[in-house]
Amino acid sequence: MLWAGTWWDAVHDRKKVIDPDRKTLMIRRLTVPNHPVTRTVSAAGADAVAAHDNELGAFLRAGRARVEPTDAGLARGLSKRRVRGLRREEVAVLAGVSADYYARLEQGRERNPSAQVIGAIGHALRLAPDAREHLYRLAGLNPRLGPDSARDLVHPSLLNLLEAFPQAAAYVLGPAFDVLATNSVADALLSPFGKERNMPRIQFTHPRAKTVFTEWETLRRSTVHALRLNAGRFPNDAAITRIVSELSDVSEEFRTLWADHNVGSLTRAFKVFEHPDVGRVELTYQSFDVTDAPGQLLLVGSPEPGSHSEEALTYLASMAPPA
C-alpha cells in the first residue's frame, strides 16, 4: 500500500492550496478515469485548435507571407503594407481564381479544391517541390496529381490506349496544352525540349523550337487560336490564365497573335519535325476529344507506311528506356 499511502499523503500535503471541492474533483479523476470532465480552453488554446483544424489555411498564410510582391512580379505601390508578403487578393490574381474563392479556401470554408487550383496556388506562392507535395496532401489530394506528375490526371484506360500506337506519336494535352501523358514514341520525339511539357511555352520561348518545328510560324498561329478557343470554353481554368499571362509578358509575337482574337480547333494537321537524332520526321496528326475529361485532347501523329519517317519513329521507340 505504499503507493496508496504516498498518494493520500500528497493530497493532504496540498490541503492548504487546494480547496475541498477541487481536492474532491482531483480524487474523482484519479479513481474514475472515464468520468467526463469539462475543460476550460483559453482564447489562445481555441486559436490553436482552430489552426490545427485548418492546416491548409495556416500553410497558405505562411506561404504568402514569405513571398515578396516584387518577387512575384507585382509592384509594391506607394501604400505601406501592414503585413509581410502577398495579400490574399494578390495570390488569387496570380493563381487565376477569384478573391472570394481563395479567401474561403484559406479560412477553411472551402474544403474541396481541385488539383488544378492547388497547382496554380503552389505556382503563385513559388513553392519548392516538397512544399507543393505537402500542399496537395493538406488539400486532401494525391500529391502525384501535382504539376510534376501530370500523367496522373489522365484516366488509366486512356494511358493504356496510348501504348496501342507503337509506330505513332500519341499524347494527351490538357486545356492549356500541357502534355499530360505520352507514349514512348512521342516522349522521344519531344526529347529536344527536355522536361518542358507546355506546348505554347515551348513554341514561344524554347531556343530549339524554331529548328525542331520546321513550320514554326504556322504551328504557333494554330496553337494560339486553339488556346483562345479553350479560354472561352474554360474561362476559370487557372492553367490557361497562367500561360496566357506568362507568354504575354515575355513574347511580343504571342501578344500580337492573342490580340487578333482568332479561334480554331486543333484538328487534322500535317507536321514536320527536324529531330537531332533521326532527322526529318513527317507526321499526319488526328485529334480526339476526351469526352469524360473536358478539355483533354488525344493527338496521334502517324507516318506514311514504309517511309523514312516510319523508320525514324521505330528507331526512336527502340531507343526509349523501358517504362
Side-chain angles (χ1 to χ4, degrees), residues 91-110:
V91 176
V93 169
L94 292 170
V97 299
S98 72
D100 177 68
Y101 182 88
Y102 179 79
R104 287 188 285 114
L105 188 65
E106 194 173 283
Q107 292 165 356
R109 295 185 290 124
E110 169 56 56

Side-chain angles (χ1 to χ4, degrees), residues 26 32 34 39 76 100 107 120 141 219 242 259 264-265 282 303 319 321:
M26 188 179 79
V32 189
N34 295 324
R39 294 187 301 168
R76 282 184 176 274
D100 177 68
Q107 292 165 356
L141 297 167
L219 182 61
R242 186 166 62 250
S265 299
E282 300 177 351
M319 297 300 292

Side-chain angles (χ1 to χ4, degrees), residues 6-7 41 49 93 122 139 144-145 149 202 207 231 241 256 263 273 293 308:
T6 303
W7 168 79
V41 181
V49 171
V93 169
R144 297 179 64 205
L145 291 179
S149 301
I202 286 173
T241 301
T256 300
V263 296
F273 297 80
H308 166 77

Side-chain angles (χ1 to χ4, degrees), residues 21-201:
D21 290 339
R22 179 66 176 171
K23 179 176 70 177
T24 302
L25 176 60
M26 188 179 79
I27 293 172
R28 289 179 65 192
R29 282 181 177 172
L30 290 170
T31 58
V32 189
N34 295 324
H35 183 76
V37 178
T38 302
R39 294 187 301 168
T40 301
V41 181
S42 67
D47 289 341
V49 171
H52 179 74
D53 188 53
N54 184 21
E55 293 285 350
L56 174 60
F59 184 76
L60 291 175
R61 286 190 293 274
R64 65 182 171 88
R66 287 191 289 265
V67 181
E68 289 296 326
T70 51
D71 293 338
L74 301 172
R76 282 184 176 274
L78 298 177
S79 60
K80 186 176 180 180
R81 290 174 177 258
R82 292 181 298 173
V83 295
R84 293 176 51 206
L86 299 176
R87 298 186 177 100
R88 285 176 180 167
E89 296 80 5
E90 292 168 336
V91 176
V93 169
L94 292 170
V97 299
S98 72
D100 177 68
Y101 182 88
Y102 179 79
R104 287 188 285 114
L105 188 65
E106 194 173 283
Q107 292 165 356
R109 295 185 290 124
E110 169 56 56
R111 298 282 184 167
N112 298 293
S114 69
Q116 289 85 350
V117 166
I118 289 301
I121 291 173
H123 180 81
L125 296 179
R126 307 170 70 85
L127 297 180
D130 287 347
R132 288 203 306 271
E133 179 178 316
H134 185 62
L135 176 62
Y136 274 84
R137 285 200 176 96
L138 292 179
L141 297 167
N142 184 341
R144 297 179 64 205
L145 291 179
D148 295 332
S149 301
R151 186 178 177 91
D152 291 293
L153 294 172
V154 180
H155 194 277
S157 63
L158 186 54
L159 294 177
N160 292 334
L161 180 61
L162 290 178
E163 300 304 329
F165 301 99
Q167 294 183 321
Y171 48 93
V172 179
L173 296 180
F177 301 141
D178 294 296
V179 179
L180 303 180
T182 61
N183 67 358
S184 57
V185 175
D187 194 51
L189 196 62
L190 297 173
S191 62
F193 307 117
K195 295 182 179 180
E196 180 55 63
R197 283 298 183 264
N198 178 268
M199 295 309 297
R201 187 180 292 115

Side-chain angles (χ1 to χ4, degrees), residues 251-266:
S251 172
E252 182 179 353
E253 292 83 1
F254 180 87
R255 288 196 300 272
T256 300
L257 289 170
W258 189 255
D260 286 341
H261 289 269
N262 286 319
V263 296
S265 299
L266 291 180

Side-chain angles (χ1 to χ4, degrees), residues 174-177 224-235 237 240 263-264 295-297:
F177 301 141
V224 173
H225 296 170
L227 184 62
R228 182 171 275 286
L229 183 65
N230 272 4
R233 293 173 62 196
F234 310 104
D237 188 277
I240 294 177
V263 296
Q296 288 188 11
L297 198 66

